[in-house]
Amino acid sequence: MRTALLLVAINTLIYAAAMPSMANPDDWSKIKNITDPYIQGLGKWLVAEHTKMGGIDGLKFQNVLSGKYQIRNGVSYRLVIDAMRPGGSHGTYKGWLLEDVLSNQNTWKVINFSPLD
């Protein structure tokens, strides 16, 4: 009897180690195709919204350099953006936005936008 219980315990441990674990819902996934026009459009929109909300006037979007996304109550995007400052120098910024895909309107909301440097 003890041998059978020991075998069951060992088999359970082997099974648990061999099976992939469930993904943590708080994990962020890397955006694989960063050049996708949709992703670039999100970055452009973030820069424009930042300016509208009283951010650096004259900041011009260049491109999205990298990003991550998370699906939870909509889709959250964390993007690293290259933008040109009014004087012509480039700056790197981090932007975070939430896309509400649950409604029919697919609205976007800025969570954060700040210099990465």
Side-chain angles (χ1 to χ4, degrees):
M1 180 73 172
R2 284 186 166 176
T3 305
L5 288 175
L6 182 60
L7 287 174
V8 168
I10 290 171
N11 284 337
T12 302
L13 288 172
I14 291 170
Y15 178 78
M19 293 301 295
S21 63
M22 296 289 290
N24 183 343
D26 292 330
D27 286 347
W28 290 76
S29 300
K30 181 180 178 182
I31 298 172
K32 292 184 174 112
N33 184 7
I34 205 68
T35 60
D36 183 303
Y38 187 78
I39 300 301
Q40 294 297 315
L42 290 175
K44 187 174 185 177
W45 180 84
L46 262 170
V47 171
E49 284 299 302
H50 173 69
T51 301
K52 281 184 198 174
M53 294 167 38
I56 301 170
D57 191 31
L59 193 63
K60 303 257 188 249
F61 172 79
Q62 298 300 300
N63 66 343
V64 175
L65 302 171
S66 65
K68 296 180 180 182
Y69 71 95
Q70 177 188 60
I71 300 172
R72 185 173 170 190
N73 298 327
V75 182
S76 290
Y77 295 92
R78 289 185 176 170
L79 304 176
V80 176
I81 299 167
D82 176 33
M84 190 175 293
R85 296 181 183 118
S89 64
H90 285 262
T92 307
Y93 299 85
K94 57 184 176 182
W96 182 6
L97 69 102
L98 175 65
E99 180 178 25
D100 180 6
V101 294
L102 302 177
S103 71
N104 292 334
Q105 299 174 353
N106 281 5
T107 57
W108 299 335
K109 178 182 177 187
V110 176
I111 305 299
N112 186 27
F113 188 90
S114 59
L116 189 63
D117 306 328

